[in-house]
């Protein structure tokens, strides 16, 4: 699965000036604003989640403190979980991105 596109690939929420220029029956969609901000925040910090198991992997691979079949088995499990974590991070971003892409920037006035 490719990495999700950056937040800048989507239209940003409407500015106050742009909102003032909307047709009389329209207004900015607050849900779009919230989703866009959530996506930008998640996109900016998801790298920490993707790399959460890197120190454990580096320690295991970088020292001779633990050797043998148990170490290899545990290292294999660590690699698998690291991959799962990275896929989950991308899935989180894709879920927000898809919801945001399907949300209108404007809604009718109530």
């Amino acid at each position: 699965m490719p990495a999700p596109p950056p937040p800048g690939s989507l239209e940003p929420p409407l500015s106050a000036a742009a909102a003032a220029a909307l047709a009389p029956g329209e207004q900015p969609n607050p849900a779009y604003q919230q989703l866009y901000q959530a996506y930008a925040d998640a996109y900016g910090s998801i790298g920490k989640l993707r790399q959460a198991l890197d120190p454990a992997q580096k320690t295991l691979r970088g020292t001779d403190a633990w050797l043998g079949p148990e170490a290899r088995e545990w290292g294999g499990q660590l690699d698998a979980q690291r991959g799962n974590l990275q896929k989950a991070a991308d899935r989180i971003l894709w879920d927000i991105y898809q919801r945001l892409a399907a949300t209108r920037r404007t809604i009718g006035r109530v």
Side-chain angles (χ1 to χ4, degrees):
M1 173 185 302
S9 67
L10 293 165
E11 299 245 14
L14 294 169
S15 65
L22 288 174
E26 288 190 298
Q27 66 183 11
N29 185 350
Y32 188 89
Q33 168 74 37
Q34 292 170 342
L35 283 168
Y36 189 91
Q37 189 61 52
Y39 186 61
D41 291 346
Y43 197 92
S45 62
I46 206 81
K48 290 179 183 177
L49 179 61
R50 279 191 185 107
Q51 298 168 352
L53 295 177
D54 289 358
Q57 185 183 44
K58 183 178 178 181
T59 299
L60 181 65
R61 303 269 187 260
T63 66
D64 291 340
W66 192 20
L67 301 171
E70 291 87 7
R72 284 189 295 277
E73 181 181 339
W74 193 84
Q77 292 173 3
L78 178 62
D79 289 342
Q81 293 305 319
R82 188 171 164 263
N84 289 340
L85 183 62
Q86 291 171 346
K87 288 176 191 171
D90 283 343
R91 185 74 251 155
I92 290 167
L93 287 179
W94 274 116
D95 286 350
I96 300 171
Y97 175 85
Q98 290 169 344
R99 179 77 182 261
L100 178 59
T103 301
R104 293 183 40 187
R105 288 174 68 206
T106 61
I107 56 174
R109 289 195 186 273
V110 180

